[in-house]
Amino acid sequence: MTEKPLTRHIDPSRPPFDLAQYEKAGGYSALGKVIRDMTPAACLQVLKDSGLRGRGGAGFPTGMKWSFVPMGADAPRPKYIVANADEMEPGTFKDRLLMEGCPHLLVEGMIVGGYILQADVGYIFIRGEYVEAARLLNRAIAECREKGFLGNNILGGDWSFELHVHTSAGRYICGEETALLNSLEGKRATPRAKPPFPQVSGLWGKPTIVNNVETLCNLPALIDYGAEWFKQLSLTEDAGTKLYGVSGRVKNPGCWELPMGTPMRELLQEYAGGMCDGYGLKTFLPGGASTPLLLPEHLDTPMDYTHIGKLGSRLGTGTAIVIDDQVDFIGAMKNLEHFFAQESCGFCTPCRDGLPWVEKALGRLQQRRGQRTDLEWLQRATWMLNMGNTFCAHAPGAMGPLESALKYFPEEFASRVVEPKPQPGNSQGKAAASTST
Amino acid sequence: MVEAAANLSSQHLISNLSDQEIAEIRAEAAHYEYPQAASIEALKIVQKHRGWVSDESLREVARLLDMSAEQLDGVATFYSLIFRRPVGKNTLMLCDGITCWMLGCEKLRETIQHRLGIDYGQTTADNEFTLIPVTCQGACDRAPVMLKNMRLHSHLTPENIEPLLKGSE
Ligand SMILES: Cc1cc2nc3c(=O)[nH]c(=O)nc-3n(C[C@H](O)[C@H](O)[C@H](O)COP(=O)(O)O)c2cc1C
Ligand code: SF4
Ligand code: FES
């Protein structure tokens, strides 16, 4: 048994385990176990019982998601399993650690997952810049092919499975699971309408499961040690461990595997070493650029899906961005919205046209030549671009930090507004002021 | 022998891609039900060999993957790491993600501007360097970071970035 199912084999001071080393450390025992001793249905039951929730940001229960995949002899074929290794949400650096630190763990997770779903082909969809991770994964896959862990009749059973690395070429939207499917098919990465859900009609219209790297990396130990073990790893109701990260003006930024529900205060003080000298904590984004801000008063809340959700934010990817008290706060907001504006896929109008406006308004405020109308626009955007008004969750994600910033730090915005000088008897006062900089 | 030579030259007539490029693209295409799925990887293979993707290369790749050139161009222009214009011998991709921004990527940008005289999207007159902004590189614990020719350099300062601005590694 282990307390660190994700990182127990990771040691950044040496190269990652090759197949022989990984096996010696207990690797691929879950693969042997499922193929020799377990039916796919029994495995799925473990997954459901474990309470594992997706680590890519939304926290959807993995077992439930998988239960929608058609099973049995007359299920459409081929079926696909895809690892979402796009990891492009600013502030997120956890899947890189898993793939560079122990590529065989993800490969085993994919094969075990493939068996549970009785999938035929797996793809690891990895962002283009993760060149080293892609190289390591390709090598691990080649070792598995040679060993008979991939290919026809794996371990002498009647199940066959192939696995490939698919490298992308930039664009955050590729991480959205239906856009990812279009991207994998070699199309522009615009999201698809749901339903149909990918579980039923995904890649080329066939049943497809997309999960985050960290989610899939939990499978081997979950199969080895069981659902009850998995639940007791956590401090709260949300099961398992979590890869948490902290970046920003802290003494020891990094990424650590800890029990789910570890509070941010512990992450910040004990693991990240506290704020750098001379800097204080102003606010933080708990799990990536799309997660609404939290305040110092929230530091003791357990960092899990349920508790962070109750505060009006999201655990997201669990990698926190610390914003200190000396940084240009409006500049930071502009930086975030610049990212979202640039990464809009352009498919729907509120997002494509609205986000650049948000960025421009923040730019004017940053330069202290903002107008009251800029503030009004930002307020309006937080509902116009929110859930229900756009085709996918990209624009609502962009509104997360902005809406919370307007709520918690209204004075930051208000203090950047320049009031137009009143010009007697002339309604052009406003326009004159806005062009006179 | 003669036949082989004839084959080769006819291949040259129909394709500007090298045999190596074609072989690599075909190997990728074999991973999918439909060859189009290899389009990004194919474009990256061309880019690896040529630095960028010209209209001519694009047409050839499209033919290999059973796509129209327009379709493939729609894909190529969507993705930020596919270069449809020539770039310098060295690409500098400076991370402007939130953590790198808070930890001083703008200072690095200024240093590059001073040393090389280029800003985002520009190439030096001697064609040595192109500077491109990129989003978060998933290395925020080592911010600020930059990719030089796709290799990650971290904990950068205006001082320690200097050696990276001196031509190929
Ligand atoms: C704009 C956008 C970007 C996303 N990027 C990623 C990503 O890079 N990696 C990821 O795992 N999930 C990402 N997601 C979430 C996926 O859509 C999907 O929920 C996830 O891959 C499901 O896996 P999980 O259940 O294991 O979390 C993104 C979602 C949106 C809306
Ligand atoms: S919300 Fe934005 S990213 Fe999502 S579909 Fe619309 S334009 Fe594309
Ligand atoms: S913000 Fe630069 S690596 Fe994440």
Side-chain angles (χ1 to χ4, degrees), chain A residues 88-305:
Chain A
M88 283 190 68
E89 171 128 346
T92 305
F93 49 98
K94 64 183 185 71
D95 299 337
R96 180 202 274 274
L97 175 80
L98 290 172
M99 294 185 289
E100 290 184 354
C102 190
H104 273 292
L105 180 63
L106 176 59
V107 172
E108 185 180 7
M110 294 280 303
I111 307 178
V112 168
Y115 174 80
I116 300 175
L117 299 162
Q118 291 290 293
D120 301 273
V121 184
Y123 294 107
I124 299 173
F125 184 100
I126 187 168
R127 69 179 291 184
E129 296 95 329
Y130 282 6
V131 181
E132 177 65 4
R135 187 184 70 80
L136 291 166
L137 287 165
N138 271 316
R139 202 180 62 186
I141 288 170
E143 286 180 306
C144 284
R145 234 172 245 144
E146 189 147 316
K147 179 92 184 187
F149 290 169
L150 282 171
N152 290 332
N153 303 99
I154 293 170
L155 295 180
D158 51 13
W159 175 66
S160 304
F161 183 66
E162 256 312 328
L163 180 59
H164 303 289
V165 174
H166 177 105
T167 69
S168 186
R171 292 314 287 271
Y172 171 61
I173 194 62
C174 295
E176 196 281 333
E177 69 178 3
T178 59
L180 183 150
L181 297 177
N182 277 337
S183 182
L184 233 167
E185 289 184 8
K187 300 174 180 155
R188 291 171 76 90
T190 48
R192 296 177 179 177
K194 290 193 270 192
F197 288 91
Q199 294 96 308
V200 180
S201 175
L203 272 180
W204 298 291
K206 296 292 164 50
T208 305
I209 276 290
V210 180
N211 273 110
N212 175 255
V213 168
E214 185 183 345
T215 312
L216 294 166
C217 283
N218 274 301
L219 293 183
L222 183 53
I223 291 295
D224 274 336
Y225 306 127
E228 286 312 310
W229 162 83
F230 190 75
K231 283 196 229 169
Q232 60 82 39
L233 292 172
S234 159
L235 302 176
T236 60
E237 293 296 299
D238 291 343
T241 63
K242 182 76 196 75
L243 281 179
Y244 292 108
V246 178
S247 75
R249 289 253 180 233
V250 296
K251 286 191 180 129
N252 178 34
C255 181
W256 314 275
E257 183 182 13
L258 295 167
M260 179 67 84
T262 303
M264 180 66 183
R265 188 183 302 283
E266 192 176 331
L267 299 176
L268 181 59
Q269 296 304 338
E270 283 173 41
Y271 292 91
M275 299 298 294
C276 289
D277 294 335
Y279 294 88
L281 172 68
K282 181 184 179 84
T283 174
F284 63 100
L285 296 85
S290 70
T291 56
L293 302 175
L294 293 178
L295 300 173
E297 70 196 61
H298 300 133
L299 280 174
D300 293 310
T301 308
M303 287 271 280
D304 69 10
Y305 300 99

Side-chain angles (χ1 to χ4, degrees), chain A residues 17 26 56 64 76 96 112 124-125 142 163 246 261 279 288 322 339 377-378 430 437:
Chain A
F17 282 163
M64 196 206 290
R96 180 202 274 274
V112 168
I124 299 173
F125 184 100
L163 180 59
V246 178
Y279 294 88
V322 162
F339 166 79
W377 163 249
L378 293 179
K430 254 187 176 170
T437 41

Side-chain angles (χ1 to χ4, degrees), chain A residues 353-393:
Chain A
D353 293 352
L355 286 176
W357 274 97
V358 167
E359 183 189 349
K360 278 189 200 124
L362 286 166
R364 282 189 292 268
L365 290 170
Q366 187 190 11
Q367 291 163 15
R368 295 183 188 281
R369 45 187 193 86
Q371 302 282 305
R372 203 128 285 283
T373 47
D374 288 324
L375 254 185
E376 283 159 16
W377 163 249
L378 293 179
Q379 292 285 7
R380 207 163 55 233
T382 58
W383 62 262
M384 270 178 63
L385 304 193
N386 234 321
M387 277 309 177
N389 297 335
T390 61
F391 191 61
C392 87

Side-chain angles (χ1 to χ4, degrees), chain A residues 21-39:
Chain A
Q21 292 166 318
Y22 181 70
E23 276 195 279
K24 201 165 155 226
Y28 291 104
S29 59
L31 176 62
K33 184 169 172 184
V34 294
I35 288 188
R36 295 200 187 96
D37 306 334
M38 292 176 80
T39 62

